[in-house]
């Protein structure tokens, strides 16, 4: 998990400080996750780090994606955000997608 967190952090061009600030953690905590084996973050911290990295907890803990029906991590994040929207915003977003699809 530590290697994956580091790889995603670097891919997103975040420093240790940057990821720490974005996830509400300390720089030393992020360093420990990346460098100590095995890392043992709380579910809440892991969720915050996943959100800051634009991925899901499933990806960070190494849950394999076994079927073609599984979504990419960024799609899972998008869907979770969508589910949390008020109904009127969901309707607006669906209409926008329909308009876009008609082009």
């Amino acid at each position: 998990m530590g290697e994956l967190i580091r790889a995603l952090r670097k891919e997103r061009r975040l420093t240790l400080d940057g990821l720490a600030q974005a996830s509400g953690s300390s720089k030393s905590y992020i360093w420990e996750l990346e460098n100590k084996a095995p890392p043992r973050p709380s579910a809440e911290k892991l969720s915050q780090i996943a959100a800051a990295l634009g991925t899901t907890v499933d990806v960070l803990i190494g849950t394999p994606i076994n079927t073609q029906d599984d979504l990419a991590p960024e799609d899972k994040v998008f869907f979770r955000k969508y589910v949390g929207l008020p109904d009127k915003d969901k309707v607006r977003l669906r209409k926008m997608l329909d308009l876009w699809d008609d082009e």
Side-chain angles (χ1 to χ4, degrees), residues 38-95:
R40 299 194 188 275
S42 69
E44 180 182 350
K45 280 293 181 187
L46 196 57
S47 177
Q48 292 168 335
I49 291 166
L53 291 171
T55 191
T56 65
V57 172
D58 292 343
V59 169
L60 293 183
I61 63 174
T63 302
I65 298 175
N66 294 323
T67 68
Q68 294 178 357
D69 296 329
D70 287 329
L71 298 173
E74 53 271 277
D75 293 331
K76 288 181 182 180
V77 171
F78 176 85
F79 184 71
R80 285 185 184 145
K81 289 179 182 178
Y82 170 82
V83 169
L85 291 173
D87 288 341
K88 66 179 182 130
D89 291 341
K90 288 179 184 177
V91 169
R92 289 176 59 207
L93 186 55
R94 286 192 299 263
K95 286 180 181 179

Side-chain angles (χ1 to χ4, degrees), residues 12-56:
R12 283 147 179 81
R13 295 188 173 118
L14 289 169
T15 63
L16 285 170
D17 281 325
L19 180 55
Q21 288 178 2
S23 65
S25 303
S26 68
K27 178 181 175 180
S28 61
Y29 184 76
I30 300 297
W31 183 91
E32 285 183 24
L33 288 178
E34 290 184 0
N35 294 288
K36 288 195 175 181
R40 299 194 188 275
S42 69
E44 180 182 350
K45 280 293 181 187
L46 196 57
S47 177
Q48 292 168 335
I49 291 166
L53 291 171
T55 191
T56 65

Side-chain angles (χ1 to χ4, degrees), residues 92-103:
R92 289 176 59 207
L93 186 55
R94 286 192 299 263
K95 286 180 181 179
M96 289 170 53
L97 288 171
D98 287 343
L99 288 171
W100 194 355
D101 193 39
D102 288 341
E103 291 180 10

